[in-house]
């Protein structure tokens, strides 16, 4: 199963014999709750899931968006109608970051049939897809999380991967270089990490570049899809846009681990080293 699907493909599947469960993960970094936007219009049948409250644990020493407890996450997914043997499609407003966070969590906790709507709700409406303001009350699902389906790094693991493999920093280049830091304690990057803004994995419409173009991009950063390549990891500010880069790597045919605590966790400890400037070290 591919990791993404187009709006037209989703329309066909929704009309078919095995329609997927739909999750609406609209989210705005530092912005207002997106539930009112969901209630005003969503893909028919989609259930709203709140990233800050349901796809993350409480902010603290583990970062701004630490992983939720698996059982708490499982309860949220069951309430949303997710079952182990049924396909799931997640979408957001179009940026893709929030949907990728839900995709990553479901894959990490063992769901094998989850995909992201490429281009999100904007792509759906551009393709002529209908939206609905109707309330959605799904039947309870049976999904039970089993963590370990995707690679996960802690701070020590990220530091080691930066030395022994390829650790990609999915944030904007100016934050990587330490020129600005609007959120966290200090600017810069994990020593040895390579700058790879996830915004460069998509076109102007927010849809992922073709797999061949993504493979070429990552190859230029030292990542190869062929066997025998060095292990790959990704981090970002708090584990959201980094999940989007893991998804881009999946589209390119590369498996990558996520450092979920990311820079918000790394930089919170003044004893951890920080590199600045355009070079990894």
């Amino acid at each position: 199963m591919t990791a993404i699907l187009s709006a037209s493909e989703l329309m066909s599947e929704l009309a078919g014999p095995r329609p997927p469960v739909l999750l609406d993960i609209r989210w705005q970094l530092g912005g207002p709750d997106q539930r009112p936007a969901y209630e005003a219009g969503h893909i028919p049948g989609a259930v709203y899931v709140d990233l800050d409250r349901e796809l993350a644990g409480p902010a603290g020493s583990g970062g701004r968006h630490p992983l939720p407890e698996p059982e708490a996450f499982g309860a949220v997914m069951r309430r949303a109608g997710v079952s182990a043997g049924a396909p799931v499609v997640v979408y957001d407003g179009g940026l893709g970051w929030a949907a990728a966070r839900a995709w990553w969590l479901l894959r990490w906790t063992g769901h094998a049939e989850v995909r992201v709507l490429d281009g999100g709700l904007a792509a759906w409406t551009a393709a002529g897809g209908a939206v609905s303001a109707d309330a959605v009350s799904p039947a309870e699902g049976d999904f039970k999380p089993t963590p370990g389906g995707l690679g996960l790094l802690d701070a020590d693991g990220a530091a080691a991967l930066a030395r022994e493999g390829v650790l990609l920093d999915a944030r904007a280049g100016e934050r990587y270089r330490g020129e600005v830091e609007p959120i966290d304690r200090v600017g810069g990057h994990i020593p040895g990490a390579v700058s790879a803004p996830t915004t460069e994995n998509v076109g102007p419409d927010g849809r992922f570049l073709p797999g061949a173009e993504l493979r070429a991009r990552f190859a230029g950063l030292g990542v190869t899809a062929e066997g025998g390549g060095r292990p790959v990891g990704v981090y970002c500010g708090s584990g959201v846009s980094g999940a989007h880069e893991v998804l881009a790597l999946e589209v390119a045919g590369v498996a990558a681990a996520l450092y979920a605590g990311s820079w918000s966790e790394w930089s919170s400890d003044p004893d951890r080293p920080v590199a600045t400037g355009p070079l990894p070290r």
Side-chain angles (χ1 to χ4, degrees):
M1 174 176 288
T2 59
I4 60 175
L5 80 169
S6 68
S8 60
E9 289 170 331
L10 177 57
M11 290 175 189
S12 295
E13 292 195 14
L14 289 172
R18 196 167 176 255
V21 173
L22 292 175
L23 304 181
D24 184 311
I25 322 289
R26 270 179 277 183
W27 173 75
Q28 184 178 342
L29 176 62
D33 182 1
Q34 295 298 296
R35 181 177 288 277
Y38 161 82
E39 292 173 345
H42 50 264
I43 298 177
V47 177
Y48 179 72
V49 178
D50 187 291
L51 186 150
D52 289 318
R53 298 178 180 86
E54 298 177 313
L55 301 185
S61 60
R64 284 192 307 281
H65 291 107
L67 298 184
E69 290 297 325
E71 284 308 311
F73 174 69
V76 168
M77 292 296 101
R78 290 191 292 274
R79 287 197 301 271
V82 174
S83 290
V88 179
V89 171
V90 295
Y91 72 90
D92 57 26
L95 186 61
W97 296 5
R101 170 75 172 209
W103 168 86
W104 189 91
L105 280 167
L106 279 164
R107 286 284 309 278
W108 176 64
T109 52
H111 201 294
E113 295 186 81
V114 55
R115 290 163 292 167
V116 170
L117 173 60
D118 197 15
L121 185 63
W124 173 264
T125 56
V131 296
S132 170
D134 293 343
V136 179
S137 299
E140 183 90 0
D142 64 12
F143 178 66
K144 294 182 179 180
T146 305
L150 291 179
L152 175 65
L153 299 170
D154 60 11
D156 290 341
L161 191 58
R163 296 189 301 267
E164 302 161 5
V166 182
L167 182 64
L168 300 177
D169 185 317
R171 298 172 301 157
E174 58 269 24
R175 292 184 68 191
Y176 170 89
R177 295 186 296 270
E179 296 166 358
V180 298
E181 182 43 65
I183 306 174
D184 294 312
R185 185 186 67 85
V186 64
H189 58 269
I190 297 173
V194 177
S195 180
T198 200
T199 52
E200 297 179 14
N201 294 319
V202 298
D205 58 1
R207 301 182 202 188
F208 282 103
L209 301 176
E213 292 185 29
L214 289 172
R215 282 191 292 276
R217 183 197 181 211
F218 290 124
L221 298 170
V223 175
T224 58
E226 292 77 17
R230 292 185 294 169
V232 181
V234 180
Y235 74 97
C236 59
S238 64
V240 178
S241 65
H244 187 266
E245 185 128 295
V246 172
L247 177 57
L249 284 155
E250 178 97 353
V251 173
V254 178
L258 177 68
Y259 172 27
S262 286
W263 188 247
S264 59
E265 179 188 38
W266 181 276
S267 64
S268 68
D269 184 344
D271 291 332
R272 293 195 183 108
V274 171
T276 57
L279 299 179
R281 299 188 184 280

